Amino acid sequence: GAVVSQHPSWVICKSGTSVKIECRSLDFQATTMFWYRQFPKQSLMLMATSNEGSKATYEQGVEKDKFLINHASLTLSTLTVTSAHPEDSSFYICSARDGRERVIQYFGAGTRLSVL
Amino acid sequence: AQTVTQSQPEMSVQEAETVTLSCTYDTSESDYYLFWYKQPPSRQMILVIRQEAYKQQNATENRFSVNFQKAAKSFSLKISDSQLGDAAMYFCAYRSYHNTNAGKSTFGDGTTLTVKP
């Protein structure tokens, strides 16, 4: 099946710094990418949806200036957590949809962010 | 807005036995997709099975099958011959058929499945 690579898998940073998480579709063109946040033993919370070449659509309550999403190409989307604080510590998951395949979302392995 | 409810936060099953995970959803749409995802301890989300609402036949993938009751808005997952590797958190998800929703999926809160040897 299709592969979505997410990097890094784990990052520790100091409060106030910015962190960038990359999400790549390795063998397909991802016309749409999704970014989720997941707290321990909880469900996935959709943060934003991005389409290649256009601005991301953020879900209600998600600060777009804090969580910058860039979907610059059909194979790469990035999430930058700006001025990270301990409350931003979480598990972030990206997902991509193949432009040729209507139904299936492919998920990255996730990034664990720890803000000290 | 659509909602997905998984009423069983935790379930356990003996190895080689069968277990059924429940999922109900609420929607006013007639065309949609339903999914079951598995999230093992590695936290990599894996698609287990999917169902198109217009299909009356229940989807089956090897040991995994669903009982899709459209009128009741119910979508349960049956795991037969449970294996230790089936231990994971399982999420039920709904997705609208129409592009206006940009393909967003709504996830349930998950069911943690424990498989006892």
Side-chain angles (χ1 to χ4, degrees):
Chain A
V3 176
V4 173
S5 174
Q6 188 171 342
H7 179 80
S9 58
W10 194 358
V11 57
I12 301 172
C13 69
K14 292 183 178 180
S15 185
T17 61
S18 295
V19 173
K20 180 183 284 187
I21 302 169
E22 289 190 350
C23 180
R24 294 181 184 272
S25 56
L26 297 186
D27 49 4
F28 65 97
Q29 293 186 330
T31 52
T32 305
M33 285 189 170
F34 307 91
W35 287 94
Y36 296 89
R37 183 172 181 176
Q38 186 182 30
F39 291 103
K41 297 191 177 183
Q42 293 190 22
S43 188
L44 279 69
M45 183 192 78
L46 181 65
M47 299 174 67
T49 303
S50 70
N51 293 293
E52 184 266 338
S54 61
K55 290 184 178 180
T57 301
Y58 290 81
E59 295 298 303
Q60 193 172 6
V62 178
E63 299 176 61
K64 60 183 177 182
D65 293 332
K66 179 164 193 62
F67 299 100
L68 300 178
I69 292 171
N70 186 293
H71 192 164
S73 76
L74 284 171
T75 59
L76 174 64
S77 177
T78 60
L79 166 67
T80 301
V81 183
T82 62
S83 186
H85 288 94
E87 58 264 30
D88 299 324
S89 298
S90 189
F91 193 70
Y92 294 88
I93 303 174
C94 74
S95 176
R97 190 158 63 95
D98 187 336
R100 301 164 300 174
E101 161 62 68
R102 184 180 180 82
V103 181
I104 299 175
Q105 276 179 251
Y106 301 97
F107 287 83
T111 297
R112 184 183 306 278
L113 172 63
S114 299
V115 184
L116 305 178
Chain B
Q2 295 81 22
T3 59
V4 177
T5 302
Q6 294 179 247
S7 59
Q8 307 154 317
E10 297 179 350
M11 290 283 285
S12 67
V13 63
Q14 206 70 34
E15 194 176 5
E17 297 293 307
T18 296
V19 64
T20 298
L21 308 184
S22 301
C23 173
T24 58
Y25 57 94
D26 187 27
T27 184
S28 58
E29 299 176 325
S30 57
D31 296 323
Y32 49 86
Y33 305 102
L34 295 166
F35 307 87
W36 277 99
Y37 290 95
K38 170 184 177 181
Q39 189 180 41
S42 68
R43 302 192 78 171
Q44 169 75 61
M45 293 283 284
I46 301 166
L47 176 64
V48 175
I49 199 165
R50 79 186 202 209
Q51 176 83 41
E52 286 85 351
Y54 64 85
K55 291 185 177 179
Q56 292 186 340
Q57 187 172 7
N58 289 323
T60 299
E61 288 288 342
N62 300 313
R63 299 183 293 107
F64 300 88
S65 61
V66 298
N67 183 0
F68 173 47
Q69 302 288 329
K70 190 173 184 179
K73 297 179 182 175
S74 171
F75 183 60
S76 61
L77 174 70
K78 185 172 82 171
I79 306 174
S80 304
D81 186 25
S82 297
Q83 300 175 359
L84 295 177
D86 295 333
M89 196 159 186
Y90 286 81
F91 292 98
C92 177
Y94 170 103
R95 210 181 99 206
S96 174
Y97 179 86
H98 298 288
N99 283 329
T100 52
N101 286 312
K104 294 190 295 186
S105 295
T106 300
F107 289 84
D109 287 338
T111 297
T112 299
L113 177 66
T114 302
V115 180
K116 299 178 180 178

